[in-house]
Amino acid sequence: MRDLSGWGRYPRTSGPLGMVSDVDDAAVATALLSGVVARGLGRSYGDAAIGRETTLSATGLDRMQSFDPETGILAAEAGVSLAEIIETFLPRGFFPKVVPGTRFVTIGGMIASDVHGKNQHNDGTFGDHVEWIMLALPDHRVLRCSRAENPEIFAATIGGMGLTGTILSAGIQLKRVETGWIRQKTHAARNLDEAIRCLQQTEDATYTVAWIDVLARGKSMGRSLILEGEHETLSDLPWGEIPFPTSKFGRISVPMEMPGWMLNGASIRAFNAGYYLNGARHAGRDRVVTWDAYFFPLDGIGNWNRIYGRRGFVQHQCVIPEGAEHVLFEILDRLSAAGAGSFLAVLKRLAPASGLMSFPMKGLTLALDLPVSPENLTLLTQIDGLVAGAGGRIYLAKDALQSRDTFQAGYPDLDRFCRLRDDIGARGRIASKLSARLGL
Amino acid sequence: MSLTARHLLLLGGTSDIGRAVAKHYADNGWQVTLAARDVEAASRNAADINTRQPDAGVAVEGLDILETESFVSFLDALHPLPDTVVCVVGMLGDQEQAETDPDHATRIMRTNYEGPALFLDMIAARFVSRGYGMIIGVSSVAGDRGRASNYAYGSAKAGFTAFLSGLRNRLATKNVHVATVKPGFVETRMTAGMDLPGALTAKPKDVAERIAGIEIRPRDVIYVLPVWRLVMFVIRSIPEPIFKKLKL
């Protein structure tokens, strides 16, 4: 028995964690075990990567298989991490087409959550750049799935939270980059209206995202820093910089769980205000930053999840469809009125995604984290209601709380997903704490 | 591929330590041949290294360390004769099973001692006639003193340690260096599920670094984590009448 939880350290459970060392083992385990789901590096926040009965650790599936520099397609086992991919291929001038906010995630996890990044509005999700998937099913079959082969299962596996079977390996598309630097431009938006407009106006940029101060109130409600980014070209790179810097990160770490009182309204308010004011000073000017500082700022602080103390935290990410922006104002109003602050909440415009259960839809997404407390859990339940009422949805990779009603309202292709799970014999066999909670 | 690249033959190409050693040598520009019984599993490691390091050119050859008659033809087919051979072949086995099942005990003893020793003896002869070579054998601290919990394995490793020491002695004037590596606890599939003390436990990568370090600074006997030299000194110093009553 092992203690198991997501990155938010809430909820905490314990259960058996099976290790597999190759894809054959993983396929056999998938067929023999019941109530099982694969787990990568455990960076989903809630209960998605915990098996209802048994959890299958896929970190032993860590071999790369081949890389074709002509097409940029990497074939690799599902447990290979994004950090390894970048470390291996960035020096050769390749970068993943889509990266989430941490590089300590696996290929299998990125497919299962159909993760998105700061370029989702232009380049789609991670799943859009997956060429094929080898998937182990409960009936002992190992299927190759792609847009041409078993397309239904392919579409259900992208964003399917591991619930269609165990992802064994995949072919993923990398893109050519000239350097490992990002040219970043910061815009300051004084309130939510300005932030939304600014995100719209910066959509031509490859990457654009807003860090939003959810505690600012009144006229400043929703004040944000919008960070545009472009891959720096070799010719524009400041003189003397090496084209492909290696990560400097990982030198500091949160050594233990912080006492809960350290995170309070005042400290978070001060942090957010400072962050905004500091960023606003740089507004309008270009800065050239390393890939890790731009894409993975929190990876620089090891075990940052401990900062929320023993009770853990919940990460909450919703998307509000286009046309219902007023709901976003109401959500911010409730958050700021409750003084429920979050370090570095994120606001971003999304485009629709292709997976059956993928999170993105056309609209605005807001991601934030809150320490676990009875008040905050109640608040988030109320926010879920607002999201559902607006026709939005909650991101399953972050979720630890949402109700079945919210879930069913948010994912219109759920019936098709469930039917497909029935067809391949996954119902009841492939199951996580999340699927059990949501009645899948 | 460089024509002047040095060549490593690695025996035990499917183990976690073997994988790390192969990767480390390949990263440093060596040509590597993985020898293993399970060619498919070794090919998986070779593909991994070749994908991460496009100049590596890691190759795979089938070799069953228990098929001692096959060694001559295996060695005859090796071109070129490697500069270095590293042997990480090992099988922990199940001590309790070994006590009642002579076939299992035999397998442990032959895998950890007989096969590796015979193979290294044969390649040593070829190194001597060529005029140089490096032989690195991964033995075990378990061979430093027999203990109830794993003496089938430990006694075979003790034999292997003594073999390496004798070979070293014989080849000391022949420009062929022989090194003995004792890893102590290592986080691998062999030890998965064991509760290992962190301060005494190395990672496969650490073992690989120490082994490759021997190429730069030849050493005779190394413990991967230096603390093991002290630990084993203490364990060896316990008088037998006391030692035999300890639960180890």
Side-chain angles (χ1 to χ4, degrees):
Chain A
M1 297 295 266
R2 284 277 301 272
D3 290 336
L4 289 168
S5 62
W7 185 243
R9 299 152 71 82
Y10 174 89
R12 293 192 187 200
T13 65
S14 66
L17 179 70
M19 308 292 290
V20 287
S21 52
D22 62 41
V23 293
D24 293 341
D25 281 3
V28 170
T30 305
L32 294 182
L33 296 169
S34 183
V36 66
V37 83
R39 178 182 176 95
L41 289 170
R43 285 293 175 126
S44 60
Y45 286 80
D47 50 6
I50 305 168
R52 194 189 60 203
E53 279 142 45
T54 307
T55 308
L56 200 61
S57 171
T59 52
L61 308 182
D62 64 348
R63 291 352 183 245
M64 295 188 190
Q65 298 170 324
S66 65
F67 178 68
D68 181 348
E70 296 297 316
T71 60
I73 292 174
L74 167 69
E77 294 175 1
V80 168
S81 74
L82 182 60
E84 289 177 279
I85 295 172
I86 295 172
E87 186 187 311
T88 305
F89 292 101
L90 184 57
R92 288 149 76 177
F94 288 93
F95 196 76
K97 288 251 191 175
V98 168
V99 299
T102 171
R103 64 190 192 282
F104 302 120
V105 288
T106 61
I107 291 175
M110 288 191 285
I111 294 172
S113 297
D114 195 17
V115 296
H116 58 269
K118 300 171 173 59
N119 57 344
Q120 200 274 342
H121 61 287
N122 288 325
D123 298 332
T125 60
F126 190 81
D128 289 325
H129 309 286
V130 173
E131 295 294 310
W132 52 266
I133 297 167
M134 293 299 284
L135 185 71
L137 300 180
D139 61 3
H140 289 273
R141 279 186 299 165
V142 172
L143 282 191
R144 187 183 158 101
C145 311
S146 66
R147 286 170 193 85
E149 305 153 275
N150 302 300
E152 278 280 304
I153 301 180
F154 185 75
T157 301
I158 288 174
M161 304 312 291
L163 297 171
T164 57
T166 301
I167 299 169
L168 302 176
S169 58
I172 64 168
Q173 178 82 53
L174 309 184
K175 66 178 176 185
R176 282 205 173 271
V177 292
E178 291 184 24
T179 74
W181 297 83
I182 299 293
R183 181 168 290 268
Q184 175 182 305
K185 185 179 271 179
T186 307
H187 308 272
R190 286 166 298 180
N191 54 48
L192 187 57
D193 267 328
E194 277 189 30
I196 293 173
R197 215 174 315 127
C198 186
L199 279 171
Q200 226 160 1
Q201 284 160 357
T202 55
E203 286 219 314
D204 288 341
T206 304
Y207 301 102
T208 175
V209 68
W211 298 110
I212 180 169
D213 176 0
V214 294
L215 283 178
R217 276 187 252 181
K219 275 192 298 188
S220 299
M221 191 174 82
R223 70 179 173 186
S224 303
L225 297 174
I226 290 87
L227 309 179
E228 265 183 76
E230 296 291 345
H231 288 281
E232 182 74 330
T233 58
L234 207 48
S235 51
D236 288 346
L237 189 66
W239 190 84
E241 295 290 5
I242 50 165
F244 296 111
T246 51
S247 179
K248 304 275 185 295
F249 274 175
R251 292 189 186 161
I252 52 169
S253 180
V254 179
M256 57 185 176
E257 286 167 340
M258 291 297 175
W261 52 261
M262 280 191 61
L263 274 194
N264 53 42
S267 63
I268 296 176
R269 196 181 301 278
F271 174 85
N272 273 292
Y275 189 83
Y276 175 81
L277 293 173
N278 186 46
R281 280 195 310 131
H282 297 292
R285 263 179 296 157
D286 281 13
R287 289 174 66 207
V288 180
V289 299
T290 58
W291 56 275
D292 52 351
Y294 184 76
F295 292 109
F296 313 118
L298 284 173
D299 284 353
I301 308 163
N303 294 318
W304 67 262
N305 54 344
R306 291 179 180 170
I307 204 164
Y308 287 98
R310 195 176 52 80
R311 284 193 292 186
F313 68 102
V314 282
Q315 161 88 205
H316 190 273
Q317 183 167 358
C318 63
V319 56
I320 302 296
E322 195 166 50
E325 285 80 7
H326 58 278
V327 177
L328 205 56
F329 284 83
E330 191 163 347
I331 292 173
L332 277 187
D333 200 30
R334 298 231 184 155
L335 283 166
S336 56
S342 167
F343 286 109
L344 299 180
V346 171
L347 186 68
K348 173 159 180 58
R349 275 169 65 87
L350 294 180
S354 55
L356 216 49
M357 298 291 286
S358 293
F359 166 69
M361 62 164 72
K362 189 153 184 59
L364 278 161
T365 181
L366 175 70
L368 47 93
D369 38 55
L370 295 178
V372 170
S373 70
E375 301 80 38
N376 282 345
L377 297 188
T378 310
L379 178 67
L380 287 175
T381 307
Q382 289 166 2
I383 290 176
D384 283 358
L386 292 173
V387 172
R393 62 173 69 129
I394 311 290
Y395 190 11
L396 295 175
K398 311 262 177 117
D399 178 43
L401 290 176
Q402 73 175 305
S403 68
R404 291 185 184 189
D405 288 344
T406 307
F407 172 57
Q408 284 160 9
Y411 288 85
D413 286 327
L414 182 58
D415 282 346
R416 270 172 71 199
F417 184 72
C418 289
R419 273 203 305 280
L420 184 127
R421 267 173 45 88
D422 283 342
D423 291 346
I424 60 175
R427 185 195 292 258
R429 303 289 310 285
I430 311 288
S432 58
K433 298 276 188 203
L434 176 134
S435 73
R437 173 167 58 83
L438 296 178
L440 267 167
Chain B
M1 244 181 265
S2 148
L3 290 172
T4 57
R6 294 207 281 170
H7 202 116
L8 168 73
L9 172 65
L10 186 110
L11 309 180
T14 59
S15 73
D16 291 333
I17 293 177
R19 179 191 179 198
V21 171
K23 170 105 179 26
H24 196 96
Y25 275 79
D27 283 348
N28 285 285
W30 286 60
Q31 294 290 302
V32 177
T33 300
L34 301 179
R37 181 169 43 88
D38 185 344
V39 172
E40 200 184 317
S43 300
R44 178 179 173 234
N45 285 342
D48 178 57
I49 297 167
N50 291 335
T51 304
R52 290 172 196 254
Q53 176 57 262
D55 304 324
V58 176
V60 175
E61 293 290 340
L63 173 73
D64 187 334
I65 206 71
L66 299 179
E67 306 270 332
T68 50
E69 321 81 64
S70 71
F71 293 173
V72 173
S73 57
F74 179 91
L75 284 166
D76 285 346
L78 270 190
H79 292 291
L81 189 64
D83 299 84
T84 294
V85 59
V86 174
C87 176
V88 303
V89 172
M91 174 195 174
L92 189 54
D94 181 326
Q95 175 60 32
E96 277 182 35
Q97 192 187 339
E99 286 157 23
T100 54
D101 174 356
D103 287 345
H104 187 65
T106 304
R107 203 176 161 77
I108 294 173
M109 292 170 188
R110 292 191 63 217
T111 305
N112 290 302
Y113 172 57
E114 186 192 286
L118 290 176
F119 189 95
L120 296 184
D121 232 358
M122 283 186 200
I123 204 167
R126 292 172 193 237
F127 283 174
V128 168
S129 48
R130 181 181 61 186
Y132 71 92
M134 169 76 81
I135 297 172
I136 301 174
V138 173
S139 191
S140 171
V141 296
D144 286 10
R145 194 164 193 179
R147 292 177 298 130
S149 57
N150 66 357
Y151 65 88
Y153 173 79
S155 64
K157 284 294 192 184
F160 190 48
T161 301
F163 165 82
L164 290 168
S165 137
L167 190 66
R168 177 163 44 245
N169 189 199
R170 175 162 79 85
L171 302 181
T173 57
K174 301 272 198 294
N175 198 31
V176 176
H177 185 78
V178 180
T180 309
V181 177
K182 299 180 186 178
F185 297 140
V186 188
E187 264 180 47
T188 63
R189 270 175 295 144
M190 196 195 256
T191 58
M194 294 184 189
D195 194 14
L196 301 177
L200 295 176
T201 306
K203 292 200 163 26
K205 194 163 66 74
D206 305 329
V207 184
E209 273 167 26
R210 292 301 305 274
I211 286 177
I214 298 170
E215 301 287 349
I216 296 153
R217 182 174 161 225
R219 304 276 300 271
D220 296 326
V221 180
I222 58 170
Y223 291 82
V224 169
L225 296 178
V227 61
W228 275 99
R229 194 176 287 276
L230 177 67
V231 171
M232 294 321 294
F233 174 77
V234 171
I235 287 182
R236 278 194 309 268
S237 314
I238 302 170
E240 194 67 14
I242 299 168
F243 188 80
K244 74 177 183 189
K245 291 184 186 138
L246 299 178
K247 269 198 160 24
L248 287 163

